[in-house]
Amino acid sequence: MKIVLLGAPGAGKGTHAQYLSDKYEIPHISTGDIFRANLKNGTPLGLKAKAYMDRGELVPDELTVDLVLDRLNQEDCENGYILDGFPRNLFQADALTKALAEKGEDIDHAIHFVISEEAIIRRMSGRRVCPVCGATYNVVGMPTKVEGICDRCGSEVIQREDDKPATVLKRLEVYREQTEPIVGYYRERGKEERIDSSQPLEEVRKALDELLKG
Ligand code: AMP
């Protein structure tokens, strides 16, 4: 099952990708996580990506597209994958469609998490991530069991630099201008499936289960 997750930053893509990845035993491929891991390891890619990420802008396509397409050719992607944060503009969406078409494939679902900007801003200010294992939490609604400590690996959770207010506004602007058009791209191809992401987590999961069972 090949799934693309659509929706603004903070709409819940990462959280639900984690759930779907565990449920269907297919990899969760997050370009943001790949860039952050590269940055942590001090790779040239990580250092190049950092400047864009800190400003809330998109990392250039030439650093992003091949990286993802190569990742999709790895063995663990044979039964499918969940793409979270890619594609992020029309060029990337088209590159993905073409690369898959060359293999006679297409994505199966483009799941669009719909939520208002006000709710996103509220949510992102509460988001915390584990810098070690990548688990995500929210101080409102989805807190760690012990305050400030990752449930999975026991490390101290942090607020991402780009979840701070000024960068959040910039990321939302970039989303509106560059990423939102890909919703229409998938809609025209009959792939867009909408889920109201302002609902409580369990309700969103139920909606996902319902959508993917058929
Ligand atoms: P995310 O964790 O998906 O919110 O991504 C964090 C940041 O990584 C974004 O604000 C971009 O700077 C960069 N990024 C992630 N995915 C992409 C992509 N597909 N294309 C360009 N930049 C990306």
Side-chain angles (χ1 to χ4, degrees), residues 8-46:
K13 298 189 298 296
T15 305
H16 299 301
Q18 229 164 271
Y19 167 70
L20 293 174
S21 168
D22 291 342
K23 180 168 175 184
Y24 293 102
E25 298 181 346
I26 50 179
H28 165 203
I29 300 172
S30 153
T31 35
D33 285 351
I34 295 174
F35 290 135
R36 281 184 287 276
N38 272 275
L39 182 57
K40 203 168 135 203
N41 295 327
T43 70
L45 172 67

Side-chain angles (χ1 to χ4, degrees), residues 9 30-33 35-36 52-53 56-61 64 84-88 92 127 160 162 171:
S30 153
T31 35
D33 285 351
F35 290 135
R36 281 184 287 276
Y52 298 94
M53 294 171 80
E57 293 171 7
L58 295 188
V59 176
D61 292 332
T64 308
D84 162 17
F86 183 95
R88 203 94 160 203
Q92 295 181 5
R127 180 153 74 173
R160 272 169 44 178
D162 60 351
R171 290 168 71 200

Side-chain angles (χ1 to χ4, degrees), residues 1-3 16-29 71 74-83 209 212:
M1 182 152 41
K2 301 183 193 68
I3 302 174
H16 299 301
Q18 229 164 271
Y19 167 70
L20 293 174
S21 168
D22 291 342
K23 180 168 175 184
Y24 293 102
E25 298 181 346
I26 50 179
H28 165 203
I29 300 172
R71 177 70 187 85
Q74 286 174 19
E75 217 176 296
D76 64 335
C77 290
E78 254 170 28
N79 294 324
Y81 40 78
I82 298 146
L83 280 172
D209 290 341
L212 295 173

Side-chain angles (χ1 to χ4, degrees), residues 167-186:
T167 320
V168 167
L169 293 179
K170 175 67 186 169
R171 290 168 71 200
L172 285 172
E173 183 190 318
V174 168
Y175 175 76
R176 273 195 305 271
E177 287 173 5
Q178 300 187 52
T179 309
E180 212 163 32
I182 70 174
V183 171
Y185 175 93
Y186 285 110

Side-chain angles (χ1 to χ4, degrees), residues 63 97 156 192:
L63 296 179
T97 300
E156 211 168 308
E192 186 213 10

